[in-house]
């Protein structure tokens, strides 16, 4: 109990010892930092969410285009065999006289293609090929239609697909720009707070000096304040009080 009482007493003494200018300055700094921090996090979150929404929209457009190509392929060939060529790009790498063939997905994530019976015919996960998916799993995909009949479904899973390096760099650059903007705003706000504190404290210092003169018995001292605000009216009242005393 005594320790807690001593701590509260020390806090009160420290609070009394702090000058008004320091208290006002610390208040401005605290408010500025909190506001800039909130704005930064909200901006970063908005950028991330908008970018994710843009990516999702782009994937949906790509999926609809691929569904159209797949429908034409099925109509032309009558089968899904070889349809994986429409969903990926094949390229060759020659190293030490050896030719290495690789395929890159056009979708950017794991995908599966099912027929009209929900049987997986093409998938980036080989273990899924030949299995029958549930209606709930197929419902999350993009239908492939021929006329008015659904002949297949393209299912895309982007949950585990990382962002490409250029997109990661774009997000990092946008967040850095938001951070730099927040730093500049903080600097401008602190500069304006210094100017405001100076304007507030200047008439208070004049009034303080005037009261010190009066305390020493000098009733000829007057306060000259050019401001027309509350401080100016306070200075006029102060001068009238000295006139009444003298």
């Amino acid at each position: 109990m005594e320790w807690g009482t001593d701590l509260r007493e020390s806090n009160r003494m420290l609070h009394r010892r702090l000058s008004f200018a320091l208290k006002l300055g610390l208040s401005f700094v605290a408010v500025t930092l909190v506001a800039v921090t909130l704005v930064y996090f909200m901006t970063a979150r908005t950028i991330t969410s908008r970018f994710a929404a843009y990516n999702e929209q782009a994937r949906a457009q790509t999926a609809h285009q691929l569904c159209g190509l797949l429908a034409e392929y099925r109509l032309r060939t009558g089968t899904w065999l070889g349809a994986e060529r429409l969903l990926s790009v094949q390229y060759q790498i020659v190293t030490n006289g050896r030719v290495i063939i690789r395929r890159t997905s056009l979708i950017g994530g794991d995908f599966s293609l099912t027929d009209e019976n929900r049987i997986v015919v093409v998938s980036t996960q080989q273990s899924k090929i030949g299995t029958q998916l549930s209606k709930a799993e197929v419902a999350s995909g993009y239908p492939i239609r021929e006329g008015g009949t659904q002949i297949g479904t393209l299912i895309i899973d982007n949950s585990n697909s990382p962002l490409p390096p250029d997109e990661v760099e774009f997000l990092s650059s946008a967040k850095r720009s938001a951070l730099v903007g927040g730093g500049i705003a903080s600097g401008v706000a602190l500069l304006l707070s210094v100017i405001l504190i100076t304007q507030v404290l200047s008439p208070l210092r004049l009034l303080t000096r005037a009261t010190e003169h009066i305390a020493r018995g000098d009733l000829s001292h007057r306060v000259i304040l050019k401001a027309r605000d509350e401080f100016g009216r306070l200075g006029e009242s102060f001068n009238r009080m000295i006139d009444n005393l003298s």
Side-chain angles (χ1 to χ4, degrees), residues 213-226:
H213 280 280
I214 294 172
R216 292 193 297 266
D218 183 8
L219 299 180
S220 62
H221 191 81
R222 295 293 183 271
V223 178
I224 301 176
L225 295 177
K226 297 181 180 179

Side-chain angles (χ1 to χ4, degrees), residues 90-104:
Q90 179 176 304
Y91 60 94
Q92 297 180 352
I93 301 176
V94 180
T95 58
N96 298 327
R98 297 176 56 191
V99 178
I100 301 176
I101 299 177
R102 292 287 187 270
R103 284 187 175 274
T104 300

Side-chain angles (χ1 to χ4, degrees), residues 9 13 18 20 33 39 44 51 73 105 111 126 135 152 155 162 168 183 185 189 194-195 205 239 243 246:
E9 185 63 26
M13 292 179 63
L18 292 176
F20 178 72
L33 291 179
V39 170
F51 191 75
Y73 178 85
S105 172
F111 64 87
Q126 296 298 320
K135 292 182 178 180
I155 303 171
V168 174
V194 170
I195 296 174
R205 292 193 182 100
N239 291 333
D243 292 337
S246 59

Side-chain angles (χ1 to χ4, degrees), residues 51 59 66 96 104 149 201 217 221 241:
F51 191 75
R59 292 190 186 101
L66 289 175
N96 298 327
T104 300
T149 305
L201 294 181
H221 191 81
M241 180 186 68

Side-chain angles (χ1 to χ4, degrees), residues 102-153:
R102 292 287 187 270
R103 284 187 175 274
T104 300
S105 172
L106 294 175
I107 299 176
D110 292 332
F111 64 87
S112 297
L113 173 64
T114 69
D115 60 12
E116 60 272 18
N117 298 317
R118 306 195 307 276
I119 304 298
V120 179
V121 293
V122 177
S123 178
T124 53
Q125 300 174 340
Q126 296 298 320
S127 60
K128 285 188 175 182
I129 297 179
T131 62
Q132 185 178 37
L133 301 182
S134 65
K135 292 182 178 180
E137 291 174 316
V138 173
S140 63
Y142 299 90
I144 303 172
R145 301 184 185 278
E146 181 180 330
T149 305
Q150 183 170 343
I151 59 175
T153 304

Side-chain angles (χ1 to χ4, degrees), residues 9 46 168 196 237:
E9 185 63 26
T46 301
V168 174
L196 180 60
S237 300

